Amino acid sequence: MGLVVQKFGGTSVADPERIREVADHVARTRRRGDQVVVVVSAMGKETDELLHLASQVSKTRPGREMDMLITAGERKATALLCMALHDLGVPADSFTGSQAGFITDTNHMNAKIVEVRAERVREAVDAGRVPVVGGAQGVSSNRDVTFLGRGGSDTTAVALAEALDGVCELYTDVSGVFTTDPRVVPVARRINRISFDEMLEMCAAGCPKPAMRAVEFARTHRVPLHVRSAFTWEPGTWIIEEEPDMEQAIVSGVIGDASEAKITLAGVPDQPGVAAKVFRALASAGVNVDMIVQNVSEAGITDISFTVPSEDLPTSVAITEGLASDIGANGVTSDASIAKVSLVGAGMKSHPGVAATVFETLAANDINIEMISTSAIRISCVVAGEQCDRAVTVLHSAFGLDDLTR
Ligand code: ADP
Ligand code: ASP
Ligand code: MG
């Protein structure tokens, strides 16, 4: 008998029927002899709807009130799931993040967990009950309700598994982590086992599942993570520490990410301190810059291009334009419709020719590369936004990842 934390994402609890199915899944796990702790997300698209509602009511949207509003979605789901569990004869208690002992910092909309005091949840488990905890929430050191940010329920589940010394299962609407988004490339394969390092690199490249912070937490605290389908009992993807015999695929996954935009600062004098000024100003405004490319200078003049999250584009353009004349640049242009296509694989480290194959494949399909960046186990190319899905599809196929039995 073990303890398992089962987290169900928004689609898994999207409507009353699915909530009853999740209750059935929990009841069966319990019959198998395991102790179960459940974490739930808000139903369906409720988080998006609450965010939209706030934007219709207010321009300022104070963080404290936003967190109170958004966490209500998860809270609703906990109570409904407990009711469905009671109907199946499973004793269950709902808990807010605060009741479950999630102490966070005071950073509204993106709070970090400081400590998990899981005694109440532990007592419920010991009493033979199923605690159902609202994901992505806690209480700050100022005693205000806090939201852990988008995808924060995955982090709640991992942190609870660590506090209770259990295994963490993340249930979602696909049966694990795939070689690429199975909704874009239907012949994508499920990855059975992947190392934390590769998974983190896939998350950083834009893979939405599991949430990156959850994977980081799991790696630091050595919590085994299992991503699987809420609708079937088939095994999913295990994210684990790298074992000595673990096969190092040359390419494990191909990820398309259309969530960034590109800014180019043209005609910049090639002298010390220019890049420092620009990127310090962006950092001070809280903008997370991703790729940066600077050209070789001609007659002491160069261009700098970089990518930022699309939602930060207006702020970033304003900051860069504000600095342009100060640093003697010619002007600023931006492109909101770009996509980043990345290949991730630990085997790349020891396998030459991966970059060449990427460039040849894109060229053969008439896809122009606007920027390139690499890490030891990743190659990313920026392409035009409308070519993203095609670029992912042809690269997936070129690296032999297509599941030909489908
Ligand atoms: P949840 O609501 O359960 O937390 P998300 O909606 O955040 O789940 O993420 C699941 C979705 O992620 C899937 O429906 C799938 O389309 C998408 N996805 C994109 N890339 C991948 C990938 N490489 N492997 C698995 N899912 C992926
Ligand atoms: N419901 C929140 C979101 O959609 C938190 C989560 O599900 O992880 O981001
Ligand atoms: Mg989610």
PDB file of all heavy atoms in Angstrom, residues 7-12 41 154 171-174 176-183 202 206-209 254-255, ligand 1:
ATOM      1  N   LYS A   7      -3.596  14.296  -9.414  1.00  0.00           N
ATOM      2  CA  LYS A   7      -4.035  15.642  -9.814  1.00  0.00           C
ATOM      3  C   LYS A   7      -4.830  15.559 -11.115  1.00  0.00           C
ATOM      4  O   LYS A   7      -4.384  14.945 -12.082  1.00  0.00           O
ATOM      5  CB  LYS A   7      -2.826  16.561  -9.974  1.00  0.00           C
ATOM      6  CG  LYS A   7      -3.186  17.973 -10.413  1.00  0.00           C
ATOM      7  CD  LYS A   7      -2.932  18.195 -11.884  1.00  0.00           C
ATOM      8  CE  LYS A   7      -3.524  19.475 -12.411  1.00  0.00           C
ATOM      9  NZ  LYS A   7      -3.183  19.740 -13.805  1.00  0.00           N
ATOM     10  N   PHE A   8      -6.008  16.166 -11.123  1.00  0.00           N
ATOM     11  CA  PHE A   8      -6.849  16.149 -12.321  1.00  0.00           C
ATOM     12  C   PHE A   8      -6.940  17.558 -12.904  1.00  0.00           C
ATOM     13  O   PHE A   8      -7.325  18.511 -12.217  1.00  0.00           O
ATOM     14  CB  PHE A   8      -8.245  15.606 -11.974  1.00  0.00           C
ATOM     15  CG  PHE A   8      -8.195  14.156 -11.565  1.00  0.00           C
ATOM     16  CD1 PHE A   8      -8.032  13.819 -10.228  1.00  0.00           C
ATOM     17  CD2 PHE A   8      -8.244  13.147 -12.511  1.00  0.00           C
ATOM     18  CE1 PHE A   8      -7.948  12.481  -9.841  1.00  0.00           C
ATOM     19  CE2 PHE A   8      -8.159  11.812 -12.138  1.00  0.00           C
ATOM     20  CZ  PHE A   8      -8.003  11.471 -10.808  1.00  0.00           C
ATOM     21  N   GLY A   9      -6.566  17.687 -14.179  1.00  0.00           N
ATOM     22  CA  GLY A   9      -6.563  18.991 -14.865  1.00  0.00           C
ATOM     23  C   GLY A   9      -7.977  19.437 -15.232  1.00  0.00           C
ATOM     24  O   GLY A   9      -8.947  18.682 -15.073  1.00  0.00           O
ATOM     25  N   GLY A  10      -8.066  20.650 -15.737  1.00  0.00           N
ATOM     26  CA  GLY A  10      -9.361  21.264 -16.041  1.00  0.00           C
ATOM     27  C   GLY A  10     -10.268  20.436 -16.937  1.00  0.00           C
ATOM     28  O   GLY A  10     -11.462  20.274 -16.644  1.00  0.00           O
ATOM     29  N   THR A  11      -9.703  19.851 -18.004  1.00  0.00           N
ATOM     30  CA  THR A  11     -10.559  19.067 -18.906  1.00  0.00           C
ATOM     31  C   THR A  11     -11.089  17.808 -18.214  1.00  0.00           C
ATOM     32  O   THR A  11     -12.169  17.339 -18.537  1.00  0.00           O
ATOM     33  CB  THR A  11      -9.775  18.609 -20.161  1.00  0.00           C
ATOM     34  OG1 THR A  11      -8.430  18.381 -19.804  1.00  0.00           O
ATOM     35  CG2 THR A  11      -9.879  19.609 -21.277  1.00  0.00           C
ATOM     36  N   SER A  12     -10.328  17.283 -17.252  1.00  0.00           N
ATOM     37  CA  SER A  12     -10.740  16.052 -16.576  1.00  0.00           C
ATOM     38  C   SER A  12     -11.923  16.271 -15.629  1.00  0.00           C
ATOM     39  O   SER A  12     -12.594  15.321 -15.239  1.00  0.00           O
ATOM     40  CB  SER A  12      -9.571  15.462 -15.782  1.00  0.00           C
ATOM     41  OG  SER A  12      -8.393  15.491 -16.541  1.00  0.00           O
ATOM     42  N   SER A  41      -7.887  21.050 -10.580  1.00  0.00           N
ATOM     43  CA  SER A  41      -7.870  22.359 -11.239  1.00  0.00           C
ATOM     44  C   SER A  41      -9.302  22.867 -11.315  1.00  0.00           C
ATOM     45  O   SER A  41     -10.245  22.129 -11.026  1.00  0.00           O
ATOM     46  CB  SER A  41      -7.371  22.230 -12.675  1.00  0.00           C
ATOM     47  OG  SER A  41      -6.008  21.982 -12.719  1.00  0.00           O
ATOM     48  N   ASP A 154      -0.302  21.620 -10.955  1.00  0.00           N
ATOM     49  CA  ASP A 154       0.718  20.567 -11.070  1.00  0.00           C
ATOM     50  C   ASP A 154       1.719  20.720  -9.913  1.00  0.00           C
ATOM     51  O   ASP A 154       2.151  19.746  -9.299  1.00  0.00           O
ATOM     52  CB  ASP A 154       1.481  20.672 -12.401  1.00  0.00           C
ATOM     53  CG  ASP A 154       0.646  20.231 -13.604  1.00  0.00           C
ATOM     54  OD1 ASP A 154      -0.541  19.901 -13.419  1.00  0.00           O
ATOM     55  OD2 ASP A 154       1.182  20.213 -14.727  1.00  0.00           O
ATOM     56  N   TYR A 171      -3.024  13.667 -14.025  1.00  0.00           N
ATOM     57  CA  TYR A 171      -3.980  13.171 -15.019  1.00  0.00           C
ATOM     58  C   TYR A 171      -4.388  14.312 -15.940  1.00  0.00           C
ATOM     59  O   TYR A 171      -4.716  15.404 -15.481  1.00  0.00           O
ATOM     60  CB  TYR A 171      -5.224  12.618 -14.319  1.00  0.00           C
ATOM     61  CG  TYR A 171      -4.960  11.295 -13.643  1.00  0.00           C
ATOM     62  CD1 TYR A 171      -4.475  11.246 -12.345  1.00  0.00           C
ATOM     63  CD2 TYR A 171      -5.155  10.101 -14.317  1.00  0.00           C
ATOM     64  CE1 TYR A 171      -4.210  10.042 -11.729  1.00  0.00           C
ATOM     65  CE2 TYR A 171      -4.898   8.883 -13.705  1.00  0.00           C
ATOM     66  CZ  TYR A 171      -4.425   8.855 -12.411  1.00  0.00           C
ATOM     67  OH  TYR A 171      -4.158   7.668 -11.808  1.00  0.00           O
ATOM     68  N   THR A 172      -4.366  14.023 -17.241  1.00  0.00           N
ATOM     69  CA  THR A 172      -4.722  15.068 -18.190  1.00  0.00           C
ATOM     70  C   THR A 172      -5.553  14.481 -19.327  1.00  0.00           C
ATOM     71  O   THR A 172      -6.035  13.342 -19.220  1.00  0.00           O
ATOM     72  CB  THR A 172      -3.436  15.803 -18.672  1.00  0.00           C
ATOM     73  OG1 THR A 172      -3.816  16.881 -19.504  1.00  0.00           O
ATOM     74  CG2 THR A 172      -2.473  14.881 -19.391  1.00  0.00           C
ATOM     75  N   ASP A 173      -5.745  15.251 -20.407  1.00  0.00           N
ATOM     76  CA  ASP A 173      -6.641  14.787 -21.466  1.00  0.00           C
ATOM     77  C   ASP A 173      -5.911  14.042 -22.580  1.00  0.00           C
ATOM     78  O   ASP A 173      -6.505  13.687 -23.580  1.00  0.00           O
ATOM     79  CB  ASP A 173      -7.445  15.966 -22.039  1.00  0.00           C
ATOM     80  CG  ASP A 173      -6.557  17.092 -22.533  1.00  0.00           C
ATOM     81  OD1 ASP A 173      -5.347  17.072 -22.228  1.00  0.00           O
ATOM     82  OD2 ASP A 173      -7.077  17.986 -23.217  1.00  0.00           O
ATOM     83  N   VAL A 174      -4.589  13.850 -22.447  1.00  0.00           N
ATOM     84  CA  VAL A 174      -3.845  12.969 -23.354  1.00  0.00           C
ATOM     85  C   VAL A 174      -3.127  11.944 -22.473  1.00  0.00           C
ATOM     86  O   VAL A 174      -3.004  12.154 -21.270  1.00  0.00           O
ATOM     87  CB  VAL A 174      -2.842  13.752 -24.247  1.00  0.00           C
ATOM     88  CG1 VAL A 174      -3.570  14.598 -25.281  1.00  0.00           C
ATOM     89  CG2 VAL A 174      -1.935  14.639 -23.408  1.00  0.00           C
ATOM     90  N   GLY A 176      -0.163  11.035 -21.760  1.00  0.00           N
ATOM     91  CA  GLY A 176       1.205  11.199 -21.283  1.00  0.00           C
ATOM     92  C   GLY A 176       1.880  12.349 -21.998  1.00  0.00           C
ATOM     93  O   GLY A 176       1.209  13.190 -22.623  1.00  0.00           O
ATOM     94  N   VAL A 177       3.212  12.376 -21.913  1.00  0.00           N
ATOM     95  CA  VAL A 177       3.983  13.365 -22.668  1.00  0.00           C
ATOM     96  C   VAL A 177       4.316  12.716 -24.009  1.00  0.00           C
ATOM     97  O   VAL A 177       4.788  11.575 -24.050  1.00  0.00           O
ATOM     98  CB  VAL A 177       5.276  13.750 -21.918  1.00  0.00           C
ATOM     99  CG1 VAL A 177       6.070  14.763 -22.735  1.00  0.00           C
ATOM    100  CG2 VAL A 177       4.958  14.294 -20.532  1.00  0.00           C
ATOM    101  N   PHE A 178       4.077  13.424 -25.079  1.00  0.00           N
ATOM    102  CA  PHE A 178       4.285  12.882 -26.423  1.00  0.00           C
ATOM    103  C   PHE A 178       5.503  13.513 -27.088  1.00  0.00           C
ATOM    104  O   PHE A 178       5.993  14.553 -26.649  1.00  0.00           O
ATOM    105  CB  PHE A 178       3.034  13.114 -27.287  1.00  0.00           C
ATOM    106  CG  PHE A 178       1.933  12.131 -27.015  1.00  0.00           C
ATOM    107  CD1 PHE A 178       1.222  12.162 -25.829  1.00  0.00           C
ATOM    108  CD2 PHE A 178       1.623  11.136 -27.935  1.00  0.00           C
ATOM    109  CE1 PHE A 178       0.218  11.241 -25.550  1.00  0.00           C
ATOM    110  CE2 PHE A 178       0.621  10.212 -27.678  1.00  0.00           C
ATOM    111  CZ  PHE A 178      -0.081  10.261 -26.481  1.00  0.00           C
ATOM    112  N   THR A 179       5.946  12.868 -28.178  1.00  0.00           N
ATOM    113  CA  THR A 179       7.101  13.380 -28.925  1.00  0.00           C
ATOM    114  C   THR A 179       6.806  14.751 -29.534  1.00  0.00           C
ATOM    115  O   THR A 179       7.727  15.490 -29.864  1.00  0.00           O
ATOM    116  CB  THR A 179       7.494  12.403 -30.044  1.00  0.00           C
ATOM    117  OG1 THR A 179       6.294  12.028 -30.739  1.00  0.00           O
ATOM    118  CG2 THR A 179       8.174  11.170 -29.479  1.00  0.00           C
ATOM    119  N   THR A 180       5.534  15.074 -29.683  1.00  0.00           N
ATOM    120  CA  THR A 180       5.084  16.428 -30.012  1.00  0.00           C
ATOM    121  C   THR A 180       3.607  16.490 -29.683  1.00  0.00           C
ATOM    122  O   THR A 180       3.009  15.480 -29.304  1.00  0.00           O
ATOM    123  CB  THR A 180       5.379  16.795 -31.487  1.00  0.00           C
ATOM    124  OG1 THR A 180       5.205  18.210 -31.638  1.00  0.00           O
ATOM    125  CG2 THR A 180       4.465  16.064 -32.459  1.00  0.00           C
ATOM    126  N   ASP A 181       3.000  17.669 -29.792  1.00  0.00           N
ATOM    127  CA  ASP A 181       1.586  17.789 -29.423  1.00  0.00           C
ATOM    128  C   ASP A 181       0.738  16.855 -30.295  1.00  0.00           C
ATOM    129  O   ASP A 181       0.655  17.052 -31.508  1.00  0.00           O
ATOM    130  CB  ASP A 181       1.139  19.247 -29.612  1.00  0.00           C
ATOM    131  CG  ASP A 181      -0.259  19.493 -29.059  1.00  0.00           C
ATOM    132  OD1 ASP A 181      -0.983  18.498 -28.821  1.00  0.00           O
ATOM    133  OD2 ASP A 181      -0.624  20.660 -28.882  1.00  0.00           O
ATOM    134  N   PRO A 182       0.115  15.840 -29.690  1.00  0.00           N
ATOM    135  CA  PRO A 182      -0.659  14.888 -30.506  1.00  0.00           C
ATOM    136  C   PRO A 182      -1.865  15.516 -31.197  1.00  0.00           C
ATOM    137  O   PRO A 182      -2.433  14.930 -32.112  1.00  0.00           O
ATOM    138  CB  PRO A 182      -1.101  13.821 -29.487  1.00  0.00           C
ATOM    139  CG  PRO A 182      -0.945  14.445 -28.150  1.00  0.00           C
ATOM    140  CD  PRO A 182       0.095  15.518 -28.261  1.00  0.00           C
ATOM    141  N   ARG A 183      -2.244  16.721 -30.769  1.00  0.00           N
ATOM    142  CA  ARG A 183      -3.350  17.392 -31.459  1.00  0.00           C
ATOM    143  C   ARG A 183      -2.880  18.030 -32.763  1.00  0.00           C
ATOM    144  O   ARG A 183      -3.674  18.280 -33.659  1.00  0.00           O
ATOM    145  CB  ARG A 183      -3.959  18.482 -30.574  1.00  0.00           C
ATOM    146  CG  ARG A 183      -4.671  17.881 -29.402  1.00  0.00           C
ATOM    147  CD  ARG A 183      -5.367  18.908 -28.552  1.00  0.00           C
ATOM    148  NE  ARG A 183      -5.515  18.357 -27.230  1.00  0.00           N
ATOM    149  CZ  ARG A 183      -6.341  17.370 -26.931  1.00  0.00           C
ATOM    150  NH1 ARG A 183      -7.125  16.855 -27.841  1.00  0.00           N
ATOM    151  NH2 ARG A 183      -6.387  16.888 -25.711  1.00  0.00           N
ATOM    152  N   MET A 202      12.215  20.414 -22.509  1.00  0.00           N
ATOM    153  CA  MET A 202      10.973  20.441 -23.316  1.00  0.00           C
ATOM    154  C   MET A 202      10.017  21.511 -22.779  1.00  0.00           C
ATOM    155  O   MET A 202       9.387  22.236 -23.543  1.00  0.00           O
ATOM    156  CB  MET A 202      10.282  19.071 -23.303  1.00  0.00           C
ATOM    157  CG  MET A 202      11.107  18.067 -24.056  1.00  0.00           C
ATOM    158  SD  MET A 202      10.358  16.711 -24.946  1.00  0.00           S
ATOM    159  CE  MET A 202       8.667  16.666 -24.871  1.00  0.00           C
ATOM    160  N   GLY A 206       8.527  25.149 -24.514  1.00  0.00           N
ATOM    161  CA  GLY A 206       7.117  25.488 -24.707  1.00  0.00           C
ATOM    162  C   GLY A 206       6.142  24.334 -24.564  1.00  0.00           C
ATOM    163  O   GLY A 206       4.955  24.498 -24.811  1.00  0.00           O
ATOM    164  N   CYS A 207       6.613  23.145 -24.149  1.00  0.00           N
ATOM    165  CA  CYS A 207       5.681  22.022 -23.948  1.00  0.00           C
ATOM    166  C   CYS A 207       4.818  22.345 -22.718  1.00  0.00           C
ATOM    167  O   CYS A 207       5.355  22.594 -21.640  1.00  0.00           O
ATOM    168  CB  CYS A 207       6.475  20.732 -23.715  1.00  0.00           C
ATOM    169  SG  CYS A 207       5.416  19.293 -23.495  1.00  0.00           S
ATOM    170  N   PRO A 208       3.484  22.379 -22.888  1.00  0.00           N
ATOM    171  CA  PRO A 208       2.645  22.854 -21.780  1.00  0.00           C
ATOM    172  C   PRO A 208       2.445  21.846 -20.650  1.00  0.00           C
ATOM    173  O   PRO A 208       1.996  22.212 -19.573  1.00  0.00           O
ATOM    174  CB  PRO A 208       1.302  23.135 -22.456  1.00  0.00           C
ATOM    175  CG  PRO A 208       1.283  22.260 -23.650  1.00  0.00           C
ATOM    176  CD  PRO A 208       2.704  22.059 -24.078  1.00  0.00           C
ATOM    177  N   LYS A 209       2.793  20.596 -20.896  1.00  0.00           N
ATOM    178  CA  LYS A 209       2.467  19.565 -19.906  1.00  0.00           C
ATOM    179  C   LYS A 209       3.703  18.757 -19.575  1.00  0.00           C
ATOM    180  O   LYS A 209       4.343  18.280 -20.507  1.00  0.00           O
ATOM    181  CB  LYS A 209       1.385  18.659 -20.500  1.00  0.00           C
ATOM    182  CG  LYS A 209       0.605  17.837 -19.531  1.00  0.00           C
ATOM    183  CD  LYS A 209      -0.371  18.643 -18.778  1.00  0.00           C
ATOM    184  CE  LYS A 209      -0.342  18.259 -17.326  1.00  0.00           C
ATOM    185  NZ  LYS A 209      -0.818  19.240 -16.414  1.00  0.00           N
ATOM    186  N   VAL A 254       9.767  17.295 -30.337  1.00  0.00           N
ATOM    187  CA  VAL A 254       9.779  18.502 -31.176  1.00  0.00           C
ATOM    188  C   VAL A 254       8.654  19.391 -30.664  1.00  0.00           C
ATOM    189  O   VAL A 254       7.513  18.942 -30.574  1.00  0.00           O
ATOM    190  CB  VAL A 254       9.514  18.155 -32.662  1.00  0.00           C
ATOM    191  CG1 VAL A 254       9.605  19.400 -33.529  1.00  0.00           C
ATOM    192  CG2 VAL A 254      10.483  17.085 -33.158  1.00  0.00           C
ATOM    193  N   ILE A 255       9.000  20.620 -30.305  1.00  0.00           N
ATOM    194  CA  ILE A 255       7.986  21.481 -29.691  1.00  0.00           C
ATOM    195  C   ILE A 255       7.803  22.767 -30.480  1.00  0.00           C
ATOM    196  O   ILE A 255       8.771  23.451 -30.797  1.00  0.00           O
ATOM    197  CB  ILE A 255       8.360  21.815 -28.224  1.00  0.00           C
ATOM    198  CG1 ILE A 255       8.318  20.537 -27.400  1.00  0.00           C
ATOM    199  CG2 ILE A 255       7.384  22.799 -27.588  1.00  0.00           C
ATOM    200  CD1 ILE A 255       9.624  20.079 -26.982  1.00  0.00           C
TER     201      ILE A 255
HETATM  202  P1  ADP B   1      -4.261  20.069 -17.835  1.00  0.00           P
HETATM  203  O1  ADP B   1      -5.434  20.974 -17.981  1.00  0.00           O
HETATM  204  O2  ADP B   1      -4.617  18.644 -17.596  1.00  0.00           O
HETATM  205  O3  ADP B   1      -3.290  20.592 -16.824  1.00  0.00           O
HETATM  206  P2  ADP B   1      -3.108  21.193 -20.237  1.00  0.00           P
HETATM  207  O4  ADP B   1      -4.308  21.565 -21.039  1.00  0.00           O
HETATM  208  O5  ADP B   1      -2.386  22.278 -19.524  1.00  0.00           O
HETATM  209  O6  ADP B   1      -3.505  20.022 -19.237  1.00  0.00           O
HETATM  210  O7  ADP B   1      -2.078  20.407 -21.180  1.00  0.00           O
HETATM  211  C1  ADP B   1      -2.511  19.255 -21.893  1.00  0.00           C
HETATM  212  C2  ADP B   1      -2.455  19.545 -23.368  1.00  0.00           C
HETATM  213  O8  ADP B   1      -1.101  19.779 -23.731  1.00  0.00           O
HETATM  214  C3  ADP B   1      -2.872  18.389 -24.241  1.00  0.00           C
HETATM  215  O9  ADP B   1      -4.232  18.431 -24.529  1.00  0.00           O
HETATM  216  C4  ADP B   1      -2.011  18.532 -25.508  1.00  0.00           C
HETATM  217  O10 ADP B   1      -2.740  18.970 -26.628  1.00  0.00           O
HETATM  218  C5  ADP B   1      -0.997  19.610 -25.135  1.00  0.00           C
HETATM  219  N1  ADP B   1       0.381  19.225 -25.493  1.00  0.00           N
HETATM  220  C6  ADP B   1       1.236  19.994 -26.228  1.00  0.00           C
HETATM  221  N2  ADP B   1       2.390  19.378 -26.417  1.00  0.00           N
HETATM  222  C7  ADP B   1       2.313  18.174 -25.807  1.00  0.00           C
HETATM  223  C8  ADP B   1       3.212  17.066 -25.667  1.00  0.00           C
HETATM  224  N3  ADP B   1       4.432  17.079 -26.208  1.00  0.00           N
HETATM  225  N4  ADP B   1       2.786  15.992 -24.958  1.00  0.00           N
HETATM  226  C9  ADP B   1       1.564  15.984 -24.403  1.00  0.00           C
HETATM  227  N5  ADP B   1       0.662  17.003 -24.498  1.00  0.00           N
HETATM  228  C10 ADP B   1       1.029  18.081 -25.201  1.00  0.00           C
END
